Every structure is written in C-alpha cells, then in structure tokens.
Amino acid sequence: MSATPPPAPRHIAFIMDGNGRWAKKRLLPRVAGHASGALQTRKLVKACAQRGIAYVTLYAFSTENWARPADEVSALMALFLKYLRNELPALIDNGVRLRVIGNTSAFSPVLQEAIAHAESQTAHGQRIQVNVCANYGGRDELIQAMQAWMADHPGAPAQALDAQSLSPYLWTGDIPEPDLLVRTGGECRLSNFLLWQSAYTELYFTPTLWPDFNDAALDEALAWYAQRERRFGKTSEQVAMATSSVK
Ligand code: IPE
Ligand code: IPE
Ligand code: MG
C-alpha cells in the first residue's frame, strides 16, 4: 500500500540558522548576515501567507544566544526593534497577527514596549499568525508551564499533572503544534526549540543558509512534507482508512 500524504501544513516553524556563515562567505561582519536574514524572513512570511499557511513560528533568539559577543547581541536587539517598528504598518495591512513568545522581561524597556505595541496593534489580524520566539527556550517554557500549573492547583498530587492538562500552560497553549519544522544552516538539532510541541512534527533539515532560503526553497520543503506519511504511532493501513473515511 502506498503512503497516505498529509493535508497541507497549517503551522510551519523555522529555525533560522546560518546568518553568520552567510556573512563569513562574503567576508562581511556577522551582523550583515543577520540583516540579510531579516530581509529574507519578511519575504518568507509573505510566501507562507500566499500558500495558505495559518501559523508561522520563527526562532529569532534563544536563551543560549545571550552567550554571544555583546556587540552581536546588541545588534540583534537593535534589528528586532527596527523591524517591529518599521514593519508594523505592513503587518497590519496584510492581516498578520504578531505574537512574541519567550521571556521578554529580559529585554530593554523600549523593546518590551515595542513588542507590546506591535502585539496589540496586530491582535485582530486574520490572515496569518506569526510567532517570533525571542529569548525563547523550550526548557524554560516547560518549567514555567509546570510552575504555573502548580500555582493554579495548590496541593494537587503530582499524578494529577498529565500532558493534556499541561499543554494550555505552555506559551504556545493556544497555537496548534507545528506540522513541519524547517532548520536551515545544515545542523540537525533542535537547539532548545519547541521541545514539547515538536513531538510529532515532521523535521526538515537543509544546508541552505537562512538568508538564501527563498520561495523556491520553501516550496521544496513543502514538497518534501507532502511526501511524508504522518502516522502518530498508528500503522499505514490505519492512516489510509482514516483518510478515506474523511473524504
Ligand atoms: C542564526 O544564525 C541567527 C541567530 C541565532 C540569532 P547564526 O548567527 O547562528 O548563524 P551561524 O550558525 O553562525 O552561521
Ligand atoms: C538556533 O541557532 C537559535 C536560533 C536560530 C535563534 P544557534 O546557531 O544558536 O544554534 P546552535 O548553537 O548551533 O545549536
Ligand atoms: Mg547558528
């Protein structure tokens, strides 16, 4: 029996890696790679919206990225602030709902203010939801979720906590799990990204560096995804039967 292709993905997550190497290849400072990567991100969000993707999640800055040289960290923060400000009218015009996910309290007050402003101004966007993970770590997210659950259930026995009850406490509690995760830059690891949510996500690793990941590269990733059979622990025969009964 041939594998049953999945429906088109609703949610794609991107680990936007390879900006530094892109710059190095061109003898440019790493920051130039980040600027080029940010331009590519803008195009890619548009391409995702055109392809009917409902949710895009972008890994922009990990909890571990604070360990980079101070000038690179401050350049990344400046780029983030610039994009939040400059892109806001276009985000609103294009029906984008922006969410920033992560521990944003570590950012400067001015950046926190720009995040809150962009989120509230785009809250009614209907076309696509773009989640920017900034100062995000999957482990941090899980720990805060467990702490929040415990605060809401004082004295509850540990056995009362299960996967279903924990999920709403994740920062992504109201967002479907990603169907497809794309990592550019050639590394085959999650680097602390969406550890819980990617349990059954299709993982696509490409050597293409993020600033080079264009619409054609996105279409290649989507074509690869369309060949997957998502079994969620079941057999191929069960998947085929469930799909034919839905039609
Ligand atoms: C990803 O590109 C962007 C961030 C982590 C902010 P990198 O900066 O990690 O690029 P490489 O991996 O050094 O090429
Ligand atoms: C992952 O890339 C984080 C982001 C893309 C924001 P890194 O470049 O930080 O990952 P490692 O250190 O190679 O695992
Ligand atoms: Mg990297």
Side-chain angles (χ1 to χ4, degrees):
M1 195 178 287
S2 65
T4 309
R10 280 177 78 200
H11 181 180
I12 308 187
F14 292 96
I15 301 180
M16 310 187 288
D17 197 17
N19 294 346
R21 279 163 284 167
W22 183 93
K24 194 173 181 189
K25 266 184 18 187
R26 288 164 179 75
L27 307 176
L28 293 168
R30 292 179 58 84
V31 174
H34 296 313
S36 178
L39 282 174
Q40 198 57 261
T41 306
R42 190 181 194 280
K43 291 184 199 159
L44 204 81
V45 167
K46 190 172 171 196
C48 287
Q50 286 166 342
R51 285 157 183 73
I53 313 282
Y55 299 87
V56 168
T57 300
L58 305 163
Y59 203 8
F61 192 84
S62 73
T63 46
E64 288 73 29
N65 287 148
W66 293 109
R68 294 193 177 195
D71 60 343
E72 181 169 345
V73 171
S74 57
L76 284 165
M77 296 299 147
L79 200 59
F80 190 24
L81 184 62
K82 178 179 140 189
Y83 266 79
L84 282 171
R85 286 181 172 161
N86 293 356
E87 292 302 311
L88 189 55
L91 295 174
I92 296 168
D93 282 354
N94 290 303
V96 176
R97 181 177 183 197
L98 185 82
R99 278 268 306 273
V100 177
I101 295 176
N103 183 6
T104 53
S105 66
F107 294 144
S108 70
V110 68
L111 183 50
Q112 289 186 52
E113 164 65 26
I115 290 170
H117 182 65
E119 285 185 329
S120 73
Q121 294 293 303
T122 62
H124 302 293
Q126 294 281 350
R127 189 164 179 220
I128 187 169
Q129 178 166 328
V130 175
N131 308 304
V132 177
C133 293
N135 195 20
Y136 173 87
R139 290 177 175 176
D140 267 10
E141 182 184 30
L142 280 165
I143 287 165
Q144 77 72 35
M146 288 180 224
Q147 288 171 342
W149 183 90
M150 285 162 76
D152 271 0
H153 301 84
Q159 299 90 304
L161 180 62
D162 59 15
Q164 220 184 333
S165 51
L166 190 67
S167 283
Y169 288 89
L170 297 169
W171 289 321
T172 59
D174 56 345
I175 301 169
E177 292 177 357
D179 301 296
L180 170 63
L181 186 152
V182 171
R183 182 174 185 143
T184 59
E187 313 298 350
C188 299
R189 55 179 173 250
L190 290 175
S191 303
N192 204 8
F193 189 46
L194 301 178
L195 299 180
W196 176 281
Q197 298 87 338
S198 60
Y200 268 100
T201 300
E202 301 296 329
L203 307 178
Y204 180 83
F205 298 102
T206 170
T208 303
L209 304 173
W210 181 253
D212 294 327
F213 192 83
N214 56 17
D215 290 18
L218 173 67
D219 286 332
E220 266 180 53
L222 290 170
W224 175 86
Y225 176 84
Q227 301 295 313
R228 301 294 99 204
E229 181 182 56
R230 304 191 71 191
R231 291 191 290 277
F232 298 97
K234 297 181 180 165
T235 67
S236 278
E237 289 71 18
Q238 288 174 300
V239 175
M241 280 223 311
T243 309
S244 63
S245 67
V246 168
K247 277 178 188 158

